[in-house]
Amino acid sequence: MMSLQVKPVIDEQELARFLGAEDSPSFSFSTTAKIERWVKTIETALRPSVCYCVKKIESVSRDAVHLEDGLPLRSRNLAKTLRLCQEAVCFIATVGNRIEGVTKRCMDTHRYSDAYIVDAMASVAIENVVEQFQQGMAAQCRAQGKAVTLRFSPGYCDWNLADQKKIFSLFDPNQVDVDILGSCFIVPRKSIVGIFGICPAHNGISKCSYNPCNECSKLDCETRRGDNLS
């Protein structure tokens, strides 16, 4: 198991999307003022970290990916994505639990709009942590003539949320700053568990470019992805 620190960036356009203003990425004066007021507090409260391990893929069937030691991850879309991969990167990322305290203080003092904004900023932060991590791994792979696939998390597409426990089983719980409850609820809440594959590349272009969103008719899905790494 390996770990690293990533400094999250809260992108304004992504924040607008989390705040429900995707079609109009500019904020009102009052919202802008609140965001600026919370930036330093949030930056201080965030405790970002990523723990990850690289596992060999033993086999890929029609409906499942089997990691080394026979650990099965059951998802047809994941299997299609990793079908040409020999390795997979499993990760657990978080921005820590101090940000929850900031949100709770806002709620306890009836500053509900502030709580909503703080929560959205924390969501953007954890997504950015994972994106930076994957981009960094992608750069390392390119130097080795390899590439990475799209990343998946349990609960996404057809992958059962219960498989989060299988990902957690790959890590020493004493070295991971994230806990999983029996209900599969993750603590701290602003955490992400996931996987992406490492595959061959030709002239820097991945041979594993499958994207299940291209076959899905749900065009209004909030997690719909284009042909990129995220």
Side-chain angles (χ1 to χ4, degrees), residues 53-57 60 65 67 73 77-91 133-134 137-139 141-142 146-153 159 194-201 206-210 225 229:
C53 58
V54 180
K55 293 293 182 179
K56 291 182 179 178
I57 296 176
V60 179
V65 175
L67 301 183
L73 304 175
N77 286 321
L78 182 64
K80 286 183 178 181
T81 301
L82 304 187
R83 68 192 185 282
L84 298 179
C85 297
Q86 296 179 333
E87 295 178 307
V89 178
C90 302
F91 66 88
F133 163 64
Q134 188 179 16
M137 293 296 294
C141 288
R142 281 195 297 271
K146 300 177 183 179
V148 300
T149 68
L150 289 172
R151 65 178 178 265
F152 277 75
S153 291
W159 193 6
I195 186 174
F196 54 88
I198 298 176
C199 57
S206 170
K207 294 183 178 181
C208 303
S209 57
Y210 173 72
R225 300 182 289 189
L229 296 178

Side-chain angles (χ1 to χ4, degrees), residues 180-220:
I180 185 167
L181 307 182
S183 60
C184 290
F185 188 82
I186 296 177
V187 181
R189 188 166 57 91
K190 298 302 181 181
S191 305
I192 295 177
V193 178
I195 186 174
F196 54 88
I198 298 176
C199 57
H202 179 67
N203 293 331
I205 299 175
S206 170
K207 294 183 178 181
C208 303
S209 57
Y210 173 72
N211 181 353
C213 294
N214 293 335
E215 299 178 359
C216 181
S217 60
K218 188 173 175 54
L219 301 179
D220 60 344

Side-chain angles (χ1 to χ4, degrees), residues 4-178:
L4 55 84
Q5 297 293 322
V6 178
K7 184 177 180 179
V9 175
I10 300 177
D11 179 78
E12 184 173 310
Q13 189 168 351
E14 278 298 295
L15 181 58
R17 183 173 69 85
F18 273 91
L19 290 173
E22 188 172 4
D23 295 332
S24 177
S26 59
F27 301 110
S28 67
F29 176 80
S30 60
T31 299
T32 299
K34 287 181 179 180
I35 291 171
E36 291 177 349
R37 186 168 67 244
W38 282 112
V39 166
K40 289 186 177 180
T41 299
I42 290 173
E43 287 179 348
T44 301
L46 295 176
R47 291 292 185 272
S49 66
V50 182
C51 291
Y52 70 98
C53 58
V54 180
K55 293 293 182 179
K56 291 182 179 178
I57 296 176
E58 287 190 349
S59 65
V60 179
S61 63
R62 185 169 179 263
D63 299 304
V65 175
H66 298 265
L67 301 183
E68 58 184 281
D69 302 323
L71 181 69
L73 304 175
R74 303 193 180 282
S75 161
R76 182 172 298 183
N77 286 321
L78 182 64
K80 286 183 178 181
T81 301
L82 304 187
R83 68 192 185 282
L84 298 179
C85 297
Q86 296 179 333
E87 295 178 307
V89 178
C90 302
F91 66 88
I92 300 175
T94 187
V95 290
N97 57 16
R98 291 185 64 183
I99 194 69
E100 300 291 338
V102 178
T103 306
K104 185 177 185 303
R105 286 196 296 274
C106 290
M107 294 294 291
D108 289 345
T109 53
H110 309 292
R111 291 176 292 169
Y112 302 118
S113 62
D114 288 274
Y116 182 63
I117 289 171
V118 169
D119 186 79
M121 294 175 78
S123 294
V124 173
I126 181 57
E127 291 287 347
N128 183 260
V129 166
V130 174
E131 179 66 16
Q132 285 192 57
F133 163 64
Q134 188 179 16
Q135 292 288 355
M137 293 296 294
Q140 292 182 30
C141 288
R142 281 195 297 271
Q144 301 169 7
K146 300 177 183 179
V148 300
T149 68
L150 289 172
R151 65 178 178 265
F152 277 75
S153 291
Y156 177 80
C157 265
D158 64 336
W159 193 6
N160 195 303
L161 186 65
D163 268 8
Q164 284 191 138
K165 294 181 180 179
K166 295 180 181 179
I167 300 295
F168 267 83
S169 73
L170 301 173
F171 297 86
D172 181 346
N174 295 318
Q175 297 182 32
V176 179
D177 296 328
V178 181

